[in-house]
Amino acid sequence: MNIKKIIPILDWLPNYNRSLFKGDLVAGLTVGIILIPQGIAYALIAGLPPIYGLYCALVPQVMYAIFGSSRQVAIGPVAMDSLIVATGVSTLALAGSESYISIAILLALMVGAIQFLLGVFSLGFIVNFLSKPVITGFTSAVALIIGFNQFRNLLGADFIQSDQIQYILEDVWLKIATFNKHTTIIGIISVAIILIFRKINKKLPNALIVVVLGIIIMKYFGKSFNDVSIVKDIPSGLPGFGIPEFDLDQIKELLPIAFTLVMVGYLETISIGKSLEAKQDEYRIRANQELIALGLSNMVGSFFKAYPVASSFSRSAINQESGAKTGMAALISVIMVVITLLFLTPLFYHLPKTVLAAIIIVAVFGLINFKEAAFLWRANNLDFWLMLSTFLATLLLGIEYGIMVGVGLSLIVLIYRTSRPYVTELGKVPGSNFYRNKNRFEEVIIDDDILIFRFDAQIFYANSNYFRDNLDKMAAKKGKALKLIVIDAESINRVDSTGVEMLKERIKFYQKKGIMFYFAGVKGPVRDDLFRSGVLQIIGINHFFMRANEAVKFYKTGDRQHQEKYAKYIHQAYK
């Protein structure tokens, strides 16, 4: 057992040096500066007191630095997961209450336990049923939902909070006249400042800049803005250890939202990790290890009052751009948060909530992926409609149902594509031994008495009828002239019992009509399945060929010496 694979920090820590520390220090300080106001803001999205956003930036980061396979991914509170927490927990308790807080912490333990078990049993592939178009649609919709939910803080109006966009828009329309003038001015100016600084240089701590400006304005000019809502008291001190309270009824009610957080959190982390991995050659992301690391981050974090965490798109990118090379950058960010919790929380007393709303809105609206939507429209219409369906389902039905629709549609598309793969007839390229798709190469030669049939997928219960119907249709077009069918099996990588029985039945059917049945390019494992299933009792071993042109040559010229040599080779390989 390789201990470095189980605990990846042992891979880089023993060789750590001063040159690595320089980049990690700058990155850790930069991410820490951004993380503190973001943590406070995301806790408000989750319906929790601001300090819980900072708690999420402590133990979970340490656990990921030890067990995560990526050295640059930044773990902590994120907008999407925070909104999902608010959506699930708000149905069970009043936002901000002690009961609400304890349920959110219990949810972190549940999410962590599920992620950890998925990783230990190497079940990370389950999440792959969410295709990229589904992720794009889901992420874009959630970004819109999060952004519109923050309009209540940005404009200082009492709009409802919901994960269904139509209810938010209806309430905004009815109550827009009640907006607070001073709150709106500060919020819009904050948005403008963030956007300007992002254009100048993405590495600038724009979130910290607007936070400092907001605090200064409210502290020294607060009498002129006494109607602007501020954060007020944030308790000082580090979180104490405590085991989340267990309630079986609550656990049952939280399971759907927990599985949603498991999938979303893992997808966020693995997608960010893969994009960062491509920019270096020092390490490789391991999907199941990421699940284990996320699981431990959430589980152990829940013992120190953290609600569910995942990786942050923005902070991870800034971490990498700022020069982070190892998990030491995350540990430096933790130190900054510890210092803040111990000594600096009083400084955030005068922080306007509208500034936090501005930070969140700019961050999440950047997740709306117009480029991917345009690309899918050009490249693959089915994927575009899959993305759009997930997007609309998430917007209109809510986050939980949106991800269920996305998974369901992904499975339907997968079944559709595997049950109706591409099929075609091949023809001979003039002056060569190659056979190509007649629909793409107009010059190929098609023999009236020969059908070379290519099927571009495995043959199994879901598509065996489709195989048979298309074979019969092409054979019928040849009419009575047809004397030979050659199955080009180079693209067939598996055949199940249903597929084998269908092939045996078709071979017998065409034999009765005096039509020979050959196979070309059959892969070894597929050939083994055919032989074990009794195909050789219907046709001889000399009906199997290396390539389609050899099958046609044998049929036309009777090149028995070559075929007997290949048949002997197949027989030895099968034995």
Side-chain angles (χ1 to χ4, degrees), residues 276-306:
L276 296 178
E277 175 194 70
K279 298 177 181 180
Q280 52 75 50
D281 55 6
E282 294 294 322
Y283 64 86
R284 288 290 173 266
I285 294 291
R286 288 178 284 121
N288 290 308
Q289 184 63 34
E290 288 299 285
L291 276 169
I292 290 171
L294 267 179
L296 290 171
S297 297
N298 277 304
M299 279 197 298
V300 180
S302 71
F303 298 144
F304 295 90
K305 299 183 180 180

Side-chain angles (χ1 to χ4, degrees), residues 46 81-93 100 103-104 107 163 250 253-254 256-258 261 399-400:
D81 290 52
S82 297
L83 184 61
I84 296 171
V85 168
T87 303
V89 180
S90 61
T91 60
L92 303 176
Y100 187 99
I103 294 171
L107 184 59
D163 65 343
Q250 279 184 356
E253 291 186 71
L254 288 171
I257 211 77
L261 284 164
I399 291 172
E400 186 179 340

Side-chain angles (χ1 to χ4, degrees), residues 435 450 452 484-491 516-524 527 530-531 536 539-571:
Y435 281 75
I450 301 173
I452 302 177
L484 172 67
I485 293 174
V486 179
I487 303 298
D488 186 307
E490 288 190 8
S491 300
M516 290 181 285
F517 212 97
Y518 290 173
F519 288 89
V522 183
K523 290 180 170 65
R527 191 173 62 239
L530 293 176
F531 289 0
L536 289 182
I539 57 174
I541 201 168
N542 61 343
H543 284 221
F544 287 81
F545 298 82
M546 186 74 78
R547 295 180 182 84
N549 71 294
E550 293 173 2
V552 174
K553 185 178 179 182
F554 179 75
Y555 163 72
K556 288 184 175 181
T557 66
D559 186 4
R560 298 192 179 279
Q561 184 178 1
H562 175 82
Q563 178 54 12
E564 285 172 5
K565 184 178 179 181
Y566 180 59
K568 186 178 180 181
Y569 163 75
I570 292 178
H571 187 67

Side-chain angles (χ1 to χ4, degrees), residues 50-60 235-239 304-306 337 341:
I51 196 168
Y52 285 87
L54 299 181
Y55 290 163
C56 288
L58 294 175
V59 175
S236 296
L238 300 177
F304 295 90
K305 299 183 180 180
V337 176
L341 282 168

Side-chain angles (χ1 to χ4, degrees), residues 364-423:
V364 298
F365 279 177
L367 300 177
I368 303 172
N369 201 334
F370 294 106
K371 287 184 179 179
E372 182 68 16
F375 167 75
L376 290 175
W377 176 254
R378 294 192 308 270
N380 191 310
N381 273 20
L382 184 58
D383 281 347
F384 172 81
W385 291 114
L386 178 61
M387 180 214 70
L388 185 62
S389 299
T390 306
F391 176 77
L392 292 175
T394 307
L395 276 182
L396 301 175
L397 302 178
I399 291 172
E400 186 179 340
Y401 289 106
I403 203 166
M404 288 169 64
V405 168
V407 172
L409 289 175
S410 291
L411 290 172
I412 290 169
V413 169
L414 175 64
I415 292 167
Y416 175 79
R417 284 174 170 164
T418 54
S419 64
R420 299 178 65 85
Y422 188 77
V423 295

Side-chain angles (χ1 to χ4, degrees), residues 481-555:
L482 182 62
K483 299 299 178 186
L484 172 67
I485 293 174
V486 179
I487 303 298
D488 186 307
E490 288 190 8
S491 300
I492 300 171
N493 55 20
R494 193 177 74 86
V495 57
D496 73 355
S497 58
T498 305
V500 170
E501 290 305 311
M502 180 274 299
L503 286 172
K504 288 162 65 177
E505 186 270 329
R506 285 294 91 187
I507 294 169
K508 292 175 182 177
F509 174 80
Y510 286 107
Q511 280 180 340
K512 288 177 183 178
K513 291 190 170 198
I515 299 171
M516 290 181 285
F517 212 97
Y518 290 173
F519 288 89
V522 183
K523 290 180 170 65
V526 176
R527 191 173 62 239
D528 292 345
D529 289 337
L530 293 176
F531 289 0
R532 280 194 295 264
S533 302
V535 169
L536 289 182
Q537 296 171 12
I538 307 170
I539 57 174
I541 201 168
N542 61 343
H543 284 221
F544 287 81
F545 298 82
M546 186 74 78
R547 295 180 182 84
N549 71 294
E550 293 173 2
V552 174
K553 185 178 179 182
F554 179 75
Y555 163 72

